[in-house]
Amino acid sequence: MRIIFLGPPAAGKGTQAKMIQDRTGIPLIVMGDILRAAIQKQDEIGKAAETYVKTGALVPDDMIIKIIMRRLTEPDCQQKGFLFDGFPRTIAQAEALDHEMSAQGTKLDAVLYYKIPDEVAIARISGRRTCRKCDAVYHIVNKPSKVPNHCDLCQGELYQRDDDKTEVMQNRLIAYHKKTAALVEYYQQKGILGYIDASQSIEGILQETLRTLNLQ
Ligand code: AMP
């Protein structure tokens, strides 16, 4: 299947995407993780993307499109499709994807929009903690780790991402409303957009996601 998860930061789409990947084996491509790994390595992409990611601004389209186009040619995507979390974030990115998919003779199966008010997003993000080693995501109230500050999966240390701090988070929401929200209309017009109420519990969101993707 070829799926896109859309929504503001902290809508919970990352958590859902990992659960769908575990159930289906569809390759999960998380643009934020690709960029953070590149920044940690300080490779060419990482150096170029660092300031944008740290301030909550969007990385330029040409860089993002290049990363995605390369990733799409890898065997797992060719065989099993993809589940995108964090891509596309602009109309230009969506158009580049459409163009590439029609060249490959493929098309999107679904785009899910995880809808959540900004206040709920901010409250959620301020409690979010991420594992330094494996990037697993927790929440101090909604999804605490079993041992405080340590990952359940790999025992790595949990930390608060710099861009999850309130000021940067507000910039990310501004970027979302300015550029990414337009994608909702873009995919709605194509008739492939499904709405998910992302203000409910993780389990509730999962059930709605599975129903909407016909995976139940
Ligand atoms: P995320 O973890 O998805 O919120 O992404 C973290 C940051 O990476 C964003 O605030 C942007 O700076 C950058 N980023 C991730 N995906 C994209 C994208 N598709 N286009 C531009 N910038 C992106």
Side-chain angles (χ1 to χ4, degrees):
M1 284 180 93
R2 296 175 183 84
I3 308 166
I4 291 171
F5 281 6
L6 283 183
K13 58 191 185 341
T15 303
Q16 297 297 322
K18 285 207 172 84
M19 290 192 287
I20 298 299
Q21 180 195 32
D22 289 346
R23 276 179 184 240
T24 62
I26 299 171
L28 170 60
I29 300 170
V30 184
M31 185 48 77
D33 286 353
I34 294 175
L35 295 169
R36 281 184 287 277
I39 291 169
Q40 206 160 15
K41 271 207 277 177
Q42 282 291 297
D43 62 14
E44 203 185 323
I45 291 171
K47 282 185 192 154
E50 186 161 15
T51 313
Y52 298 101
V53 174
K54 296 232 154 120
T55 56
L58 292 185
V59 173
D61 286 332
D62 54 348
M63 202 187 307
I64 297 289
I65 290 167
K66 219 184 281 171
I67 296 171
I68 283 291
M69 293 310 149
R70 204 179 305 151
R71 183 65 186 85
L72 277 181
T73 61
E74 288 177 26
D76 59 340
C77 289
Q78 293 288 318
Q79 284 154 20
K80 293 187 180 164
F82 55 75
L83 167 50
F84 284 142
D85 169 13
F87 175 89
R89 259 173 151 108
T90 64
I91 298 285
Q93 293 176 18
E95 285 174 347
L97 178 64
D98 280 350
H99 187 76
E100 178 61 22
M101 290 184 77
S102 62
Q104 290 187 6
T106 57
K107 62 183 183 55
L108 288 168
D109 294 294
V111 180
L112 299 194
Y113 171 42
Y114 290 80
K115 206 170 171 209
I116 188 185
D118 283 1
E119 316 80 78
V120 181
I122 288 172
R124 269 194 194 163
I125 211 100
S126 60
R128 184 151 84 171
R129 298 293 179 270
T130 304
C131 175
R132 263 190 213 287
K133 260 177 150 172
C134 75
D135 287 326
V137 176
Y138 298 85
H139 189 280
I140 51 177
V141 178
N142 303 337
K143 193 188 167 205
S145 55
K146 293 194 185 101
V147 177
N149 299 322
H150 288 278
C151 178
D152 293 349
L153 305 174
C154 74
Q155 284 73 55
E157 187 201 355
L158 303 187
Y159 77 112
Q160 184 176 36
R161 275 170 35 188
D162 282 346
D163 65 342
D164 281 350
K165 293 180 179 155
T166 309
E167 199 185 293
V168 182
M169 173 63 190
Q170 273 155 355
N171 285 342
R172 289 166 69 200
L173 277 172
I174 291 168
Y176 173 78
H177 287 297
K178 227 162 107 187
K179 304 235 171 109
T180 312
L183 290 175
V184 172
E185 204 186 320
Y186 181 86
Y187 287 118
Q188 198 174 35
Q189 279 174 4
K190 290 181 182 286
I192 50 171
L193 189 73
Y195 285 86
I196 305 287
D197 171 10
S199 46
Q200 51 184 327
S201 68
I202 291 174
E203 184 54 31
I205 304 175
L206 176 63
Q207 292 313 319
E208 211 177 311
T209 300
L210 292 170
R211 259 198 317 276
T212 312
L213 294 174
N214 287 322
L215 290 172
Q216 258 177 339

